[in-house]
């Protein structure tokens, strides 16, 4: 791989990190807003017997969206759990193979979830499905946001697969890719 | 199928494949090798419908609440108070370590967060007062594990979700065993320090007026605990709703201690998102695996297994607990729970063990896994705060508490009422 492609890869990863971090902030803001809504809902229900039904329904969607869109940020911050007991005793080359295997397996499941998630979106669009509540939310909206999270996650995993392959090149022989290693870092906890 | 499952799980995990990916791949394997119908097609549907859950939303909320309390700095004040009250006991500060962990557990759903917080406040004291490091570190690592037994508990939410057991009941069932375990930790430390005083440190006498004035710093934690657990039991709020109220209260608490800065808030939210995504991927993957296992006829294989070995109900329980201990040496705790729950709980519930009781027993073994090397997260958390010093201090220090936990597990098996009395009588 020429250095130009390699530099492009680095720049794309930086971009992916920035985007994922901004998305994480958005998710955080949405979470705080939801928390306040739920708390207000409990209080008004208790005091005035008035309940906003949509809070329950929408916070469910929020968690689904959260669980999809937070994955890329978590991956780039290396916060997904890996069992490192053999890893720590392996040689550098072997560790590189394990890193590649791990990121490939993440890419595979990301693509599979996105692939098998698509029919959900397709059905909610073609059938014009509405949620089974007083809100009658058109289901394609939460489905679309949720599914795009897995598509984004797939793209990021593919980017990291490329980095995993790159780590076998002679120019990268001396060090591991910091985005892929499973090494335990106490400061992350 | 059981052999396929055990070998594939171990190989994939040892290759350091992320736990969430391992579980999904395992489920696809079940589909390919054991099912006449295509099951993988349901992957998207499972991931959507399991995640679209108001109940599981309580996970990020409890994580965020714990983060905010950590950042508020209330733990250091509580530690000081408990030092005034408990340091006359043989062993001195060891007891403050345990009891501060207990208080903190009551507002935190995570053992790792509890151990991390208590180590940062307690470790400077160990140096300053020249305590023997071993037992001191042992009390922090073991005391921290109480975080998932004393409600609220993220691990109990995960257990309740995967086994369809009532989470309010699980929470209340964890209370007495949690307090009893804390008490046993205190008694064990005091006995050890009476036999060998050099294991502890100086005992302190504090005047009563100082003691009583310091109590004010325990109030925020007690108030928060009463609000969360009280609102669930009075029927005012579901666990998720009470967690929301808890977050609001934790925000106010952090503001009162002048720690509600933008920096603290952002870093608490960032931690929450990472922890939640990590946990959710594992839970969703476990739901998918659960689905393929039941569709692939796991129950038939398990029944065959039991008949083949002719195990009595009690032998079966012992076998399961033995597997927990063995896996607990090597596997991180959440993973330990999600890979064993789909397989062992149908068996145990099938022969009549109570789901609530077993949830609490399982948590004790999960706690044990947190402090058994080589993979015991709490050991590393405590060690992370004292770079350059021997790790063996921590390993030796937790041994007495491991024995106490096994004793606690034996008590729960002998007297299930320790866990079940409160949930049975509170309704």
């Amino acid at each position: 791989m020429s250095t130009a492609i390699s530099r492009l890869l680095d720049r794309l990863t930086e971009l992916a990190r920035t985007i994922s971090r901004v998305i994480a902030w958005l998710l955080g803001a949405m979470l705080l807003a939801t928390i306040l809504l739920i708390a207000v809902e409990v209080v008004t229900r208790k005091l005035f017997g008035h309940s906003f039904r949509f809070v329950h329904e929408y916070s469910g969607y929020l968690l689904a969206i959260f669980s999809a869109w937070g994955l890329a940020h978590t991956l780039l911050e290396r916060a997904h759990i890996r069992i490192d007991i053999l890893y720590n005793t392996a040689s550098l080359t072997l560790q590189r193979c394990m890193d590649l295997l791990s990121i490939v397996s993440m890419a595979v499941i990301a693509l599979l979830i996105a692939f098998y998630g698509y029919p959900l979106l397709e059905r909610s669009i073609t059938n014009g499905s509405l949620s089974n509540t007083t809100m009658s939310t058109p289901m394609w909206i939460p489905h679309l946001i949720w599914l795009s999270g897995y598509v984004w996650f797939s793209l990021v995993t593919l980017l990291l697969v490329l980095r995993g392959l790159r780590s076998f090149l002679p120019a990268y022989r001396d060090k591991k890719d910091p985005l892929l290693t499973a090494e335990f870092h106490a400061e992350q906890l | 199928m059981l052999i396929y499952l055990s070998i594939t799980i171990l190989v994939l995990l040892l290759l350091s494949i992320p736990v969430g990916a391992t579980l999904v791949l395992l489920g696809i394997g079940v589909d390919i090798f054991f099912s006449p119908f295509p099951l993988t097609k349901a992957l998207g549907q499972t991931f959507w419908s399991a995640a679209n859950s108001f109940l599981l939303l309580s996970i990020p909320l409890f994580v965020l609440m714990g983060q905010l309390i950590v950042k508020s700095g209330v733990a250091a004040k509580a530690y000081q108070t408990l030092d005034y009250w408990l340091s006359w006991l043989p062993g001195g500060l060891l007891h403050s370590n345990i009891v501060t962990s207990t208080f903190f557990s009551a507002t935190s759903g995570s053992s790792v967060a509890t151990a991390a917080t208590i180590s940062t406040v307690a470790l400077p004291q160990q140096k300053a007062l020249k305590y023997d490091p071993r037992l001191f570190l042992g009390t922090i690592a073991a005391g921290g594990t109480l975080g998932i037994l004393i409600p609220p508990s993220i691990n109990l939410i995960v257990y309740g979700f995967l086994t369809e057991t009532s989470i309010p009941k699980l929470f209340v069932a964890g209370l007495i065993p949690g307090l009893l375990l804390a008490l046993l930790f205190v008694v064990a430390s005091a006995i050890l320090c009476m036999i060998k005083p050099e294991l502890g440190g100086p005992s302190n006498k504090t005047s009563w007026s100082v003691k009583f004035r310091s109590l004010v710093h325990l109030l925020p934690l007690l108030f928060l605990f009463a609000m969360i657990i009280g609102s669930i039991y009075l029927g005012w709020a579901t666990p998720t709703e009470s967690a929301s109220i808890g977050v609001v209260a934790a925000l106010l608490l952090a503001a009162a201690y002048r720690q509600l800065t933008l920096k603290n808030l952002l870093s608490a939210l960032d931690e929450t998102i990472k922890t939640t995504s990590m946990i959710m991927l594992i839970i969703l993957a476990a739901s998918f695996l659960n689905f393929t296992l039941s569709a692939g006829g796991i129950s038939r294989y398990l029944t065959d297994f039991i008949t083949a070995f002719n195990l009595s109900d009690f032998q079966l329980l012992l076998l399961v607990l033995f597997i927990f201990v063995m896996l607990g040496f090597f596997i991180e705790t959440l993973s330990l729970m999600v890979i064993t729950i789909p397989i062992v709980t149908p068996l145990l519930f099938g022969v009549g063990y109570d789901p609530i009781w077993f949830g609490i027993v399982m948590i004790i073994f999960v706690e044990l896994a947190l402090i058994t090397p080589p993979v015991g997260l709490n050991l590393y958390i405590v060690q992370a705060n004292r770079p350059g010093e021997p790790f063996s201090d921590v390993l030796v220090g937790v041994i007495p508490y491991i024995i106490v936990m096994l004793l606690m597990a034996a008590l729960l098996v002998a007297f299930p009422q320790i866990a079940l009395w409160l949930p049975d009588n509170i309704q």
Side-chain angles (χ1 to χ4, degrees):
Chain A
M1 211 184 318
S2 72
T3 43
I5 299 181
S6 174
R7 220 175 299 133
L8 179 67
L9 189 56
D10 280 331
R11 222 173 281 150
L12 281 177
T13 335
E14 254 334 292
L15 184 67
R17 282 185 85 149
T18 314
I19 296 177
S20 299
R21 195 171 304 127
V22 171
I23 291 167
W25 287 337
L26 274 174
L27 291 175
M30 275 159 65
L31 184 68
L32 272 184
T34 312
I35 289 167
L36 293 178
L37 266 179
I38 297 175
V40 168
E41 203 268 349
V42 176
V43 172
T44 53
R45 192 178 62 207
K46 207 60 222 154
L47 295 181
F48 312 110
H50 179 80
S51 151
F52 319 112
R53 296 229 166 75
F54 71 94
V55 175
H56 239 77
E57 180 185 346
Y58 287 2
S59 28
Y61 302 152
L62 174 81
L63 185 67
I65 290 164
F66 205 115
S67 69
W69 277 102
L71 285 170
H73 179 60
T74 310
L75 182 71
L76 291 167
E77 299 276 319
R78 297 193 301 116
H80 286 294
I81 297 183
R82 290 170 63 187
I83 310 289
D84 57 2
I85 175 162
L86 268 192
Y87 185 92
N88 288 337
T89 62
S91 70
L92 199 60
T93 317
L94 211 55
Q95 288 189 339
R96 244 184 228 130
C97 297
M98 289 161 107
D99 288 339
L100 181 63
L101 203 61
S102 290
I103 191 63
V104 168
S105 68
M106 275 303 217
V108 168
I109 70 153
L111 288 165
L112 282 174
I113 296 166
F115 181 76
Y116 287 111
Y118 179 69
L120 247 74
L121 174 65
E122 195 183 22
R123 242 176 298 143
S124 57
I125 292 174
T126 48
N127 301 351
S129 326
L130 302 176
S131 72
N132 193 10
T133 60
T134 43
M135 297 303 296
S136 301
T137 316
M139 286 309 288
W140 67 266
I141 301 174
H143 279 158
L144 178 66
I145 305 176
W146 166 76
L147 190 65
S148 350
Y150 281 107
V151 173
W152 173 245
F153 182 50
S154 309
L155 290 176
V156 173
T157 53
L158 290 176
L159 207 56
L160 291 190
V161 168
L162 290 180
R163 288 183 73 106
L165 290 170
R166 186 182 68 171
S167 71
F168 287 93
L169 292 179
Y172 294 85
R173 197 182 301 150
D174 302 333
K175 52 185 191 303
K176 280 182 289 179
D177 192 317
L179 288 180
L180 299 173
T181 165
E183 257 161 27
F184 181 83
H185 285 294
E187 72 270 19
Q188 289 183 308
L189 290 160
Chain B
M1 174 139 110
L2 294 180
I3 296 169
Y4 155 78
L5 282 173
S6 0
I7 293 178
T8 324
I9 286 183
L10 286 179
V11 170
L12 291 181
L13 288 182
L14 285 178
L15 283 174
S16 83
I17 309 278
V19 177
T22 298
L23 298 175
V24 173
L25 295 175
L26 209 59
I28 295 172
V30 172
D31 178 16
I32 295 172
F33 300 122
F34 299 98
S35 164
F37 319 102
L39 302 173
T40 308
K41 271 191 169 167
L43 189 60
Q45 180 65 46
T46 321
F47 266 63
W48 165 261
S49 48
N52 176 8
S53 156
F54 189 67
L55 171 67
L56 286 183
L57 185 64
S58 58
I59 293 177
L61 304 194
F62 281 126
V63 174
L64 179 58
M65 184 179 81
Q67 283 287 333
L68 289 169
I69 294 168
V70 169
K71 303 236 182 310
S72 75
V74 68
K77 300 267 169 50
Y79 188 73
Q80 181 65 59
T81 305
L82 290 163
D83 174 23
Y84 292 151
W85 280 87
L86 298 168
S87 279
W88 58 272
L89 285 163
L93 277 178
L94 298 183
H95 306 290
S96 321
N97 292 348
I98 297 166
V99 180
T100 313
S101 303
T102 314
F103 270 91
F104 199 76
S105 301
T107 54
S108 157
S110 143
S111 287
V112 171
T114 308
T117 311
I118 309 298
S119 356
T120 46
V121 288
L123 277 178
Q125 301 294 321
Q126 179 250 323
K127 288 253 169 65
L129 300 173
K130 300 209 166 50
Y131 272 69
D132 181 288
R134 287 167 298 177
L135 219 46
F136 195 92
L137 300 169
T139 49
I140 303 174
T145 66
L146 292 167
I148 55 171
L149 183 56
I150 296 175
S153 158
I154 290 168
N155 294 56
L156 280 176
I157 296 174
V158 172
Y159 175 87
F161 177 76
L162 290 176
T163 61
E164 295 176 359
T165 309
S166 151
I167 285 163
K169 281 192 175 175
L170 283 168
F171 275 9
V172 87
L175 195 55
I176 292 180
L179 295 177
L180 185 58
L181 187 56
L183 181 68
L184 289 176
F185 283 161
V186 167
V187 171
S189 317
I191 292 176
L192 283 172
C193 290
M194 278 192 303
I195 302 170
K196 274 186 101 175
E198 64 272 24
L199 288 175
S203 297
N204 272 327
K205 290 261 161 49
T206 314
S207 76
W208 285 100
S209 69
V210 173
K211 278 188 188 176
F212 278 106
R213 251 179 292 140
S214 69
L215 275 183
V216 66
H217 294 297
L218 293 183
L219 290 180
L221 291 175
L222 280 175
F223 176 71
L224 211 58
F225 172 74
M227 205 164 64
I228 296 161
I229 301 305
S231 64
I232 297 177
Y233 288 99
L234 292 172
W236 290 4
T238 63
T240 308
E241 290 169 346
S242 85
S244 300
I245 300 173
V247 173
V248 174
L251 282 169
L252 296 177
L253 184 68
Y257 280 82
R258 305 195 173 283
Q259 296 299 328
L260 191 62
T261 57
L262 187 65
K263 182 167 157 274
N264 277 347
L265 186 62
L266 279 180
S267 103
L269 282 171
D270 189 69
E271 279 307 314
T272 306
I273 286 160
K274 282 191 291 191
T275 310
T276 309
S277 307
M278 180 271 285
I279 296 179
M280 281 303 291
L281 178 64
I282 294 178
I283 295 179
L284 298 177
S287 313
F288 173 68
L289 178 62
N290 238 336
F291 160 74
T292 60
L293 284 178
S294 49
I298 179 98
S299 53
R300 200 177 63 242
Y301 293 97
L302 288 173
T303 326
D304 289 352
F305 173 79
I306 302 289
T307 1
F309 287 88
N310 202 11
L311 291 174
S312 73
D313 297 355
F314 187 63
Q315 285 168 330
L316 177 66
L317 180 69
L318 286 185
L319 176 71
V320 167
L321 297 182
F322 176 75
I323 294 173
F324 282 161
V325 175
M326 287 296 118
L327 288 177
F329 284 120
F330 304 104
I331 294 180
E332 175 280 331
T333 52
L334 189 66
S335 327
L336 172 66
M337 289 182 64
V338 297
I339 64 180
T340 50
I341 284 173
I343 303 171
V344 306
T345 55
L347 266 179
L348 291 169
F349 300 170
V351 298
Y353 285 106
D354 186 281
I356 304 229
W357 169 82
F358 182 69
I360 303 302
V361 174
M362 180 169 208
I363 292 292
I364 304 266
F365 281 85
V366 169
E367 289 187 69
L368 202 58
L370 276 168
I371 55 168
T372 47
V375 181
L377 211 41
N378 271 18
L379 302 172
Y380 295 101
I381 303 278
V382 174
Q383 180 64 20
N385 285 293
R386 51 195 292 275
E389 313 223 17
F391 187 41
S392 59
D393 287 348
V394 193
L395 298 183
V396 175
V398 293
I399 293 172
Y401 304 101
I402 291 180
I403 298 171
V404 170
M405 281 181 176
L406 289 172
L407 176 72
M408 181 70 213
L411 281 173
L412 270 172
V413 172
F415 308 103
Q417 286 306 314
I418 299 173
L420 294 178
W421 183 82
L422 203 54
D424 284 348
N425 282 282
I426 207 158
Q427 301 304 325

